[in-house]
Amino acid sequence: MSEDLTDEILERMRQAGFALVGACEARPIDRPDLFEAWLQAGHGGEMDWLAARLAERMDPRVMVPGARSVVCVADRYSDGRADRLEPGHGRIARYARGGDYHAIMRERLEPLAEELRDRFPGHRFRVCVDSAPIAERDHAVRAGLGRIGKHTLLIGSGGTGSWLVLGCMVTTVPLRTSAALAGDPCGACTRCIQACPTQAIEPWKVKAERCISYLTIEHAGEPADWFRSRTDDWLFGCDACIEACPHSRPTRRSRRLGANAAYAGGPASLSIQEVLQWQAADWERHAAHGVLRRAPLERWKRNAALLQRGRSTTA
Ligand code: SF4
Ligand code: SF4
């Protein structure tokens, strides 16, 4: 293909409302050994799917044979402003309060991919929003969307912080690589490590099996004894490491950047007592939509019980 589609595709992504866009070469991630060691140490908890299709996760050219490029996009789901926690409530992580990011991102990426498939029938355009084994963060860094902090999250360029969800489009079309950001965003800072209620963070490594986000959303059954009084204020997910990060603090600039309204609208917290009393119909009404449906009724009730127990032991 002689035509350079880079500017057109990235501009179309911007017009679709993505806060950050960029492109990079489709090639293996730089340190697959670190991810494999993390898995082998059991830090993925029960998330067995992380170990499946490892070759694809390590190299987008395995998932899409002939892939030449990865287009990376990010939505900003919050401007990081603080919540006022009502008494007796447990908090919900900000990314989970409104619409489901899988659908919100896909419904803007797929039409463009479909149009490109029609225009260039010899090429492939595969949209991935947490639906395919791909190392989104690694590609997003290469594509200039930001840098990785010690909390292992992308710290977005332009003051967007880590209030970001990521998506990709892998294509066989060669595109120009966007300019990546240089340098370590953290320096001597360790605020996220200090702020983590469960000591899940080591520099550039999160032990998911200790992370409130994993334990309240993905982990089935009763968590280990050490965790029982440690969920802090969190009922579903956890934002503590992002809230602590100077790059993600709400400022006048960060408020001006704003956030995609599709991610707002749901409650910031729910009553612990009410969740403990939920029946199936209550779960359907309050949590069977968006990202919240990832935790079934029993897990919501277990989380509420853990929060209640934690508060009574620390009172
Ligand atoms: S999400 Fe919460 S528990 Fe998980 S690493 Fe961050 S601060 Fe720790
Ligand atoms: S809180 Fe500090 S150490 Fe953690 S990611 Fe942010 S800048 Fe880096």
Side-chain angles (χ1 to χ4, degrees), residues 149-151 155 185-186 189-192 244-247:
K150 287 178 186 167
H151 54 15
I155 297 174
C186 298
C189 178
T190 57
R191 289 186 204 189
C192 54
C245 179
H247 294 286

Side-chain angles (χ1 to χ4, degrees), residues 195-198 200-201 206 210-213 238-241:
C196 177
T198 54
I201 308 176
V206 168
R210 295 187 69 89
C211 173
I212 293 170
S213 201
C238 170
D239 287 337
C241 48

Side-chain angles (χ1 to χ4, degrees), residues 203-274:
W204 290 284
K205 178 159 94 177
V206 168
K207 298 172 181 170
E209 81 279 19
R210 295 187 69 89
C211 173
I212 293 170
S213 201
Y214 161 76
L215 286 161
T216 57
I217 301 172
E218 306 291 346
H219 181 77
E222 283 296 310
D225 282 347
W226 67 266
F227 182 71
R228 288 172 184 274
S229 59
R230 310 267 293 269
T231 52
D232 217 4
D233 287 328
W234 297 101
L235 189 57
F236 185 99
C238 170
D239 287 337
C241 48
I242 308 182
E243 288 173 344
C245 179
H247 294 286
S248 300
R249 287 268 168 86
T251 59
R252 216 176 303 165
R253 181 192 187 200
S254 115
R255 290 204 179 102
R256 251 198 327 270
L257 285 171
N260 186 322
Y263 296 90
S269 66
L270 289 168
S271 157
I272 297 169
Q273 286 307 324
E274 284 182 19

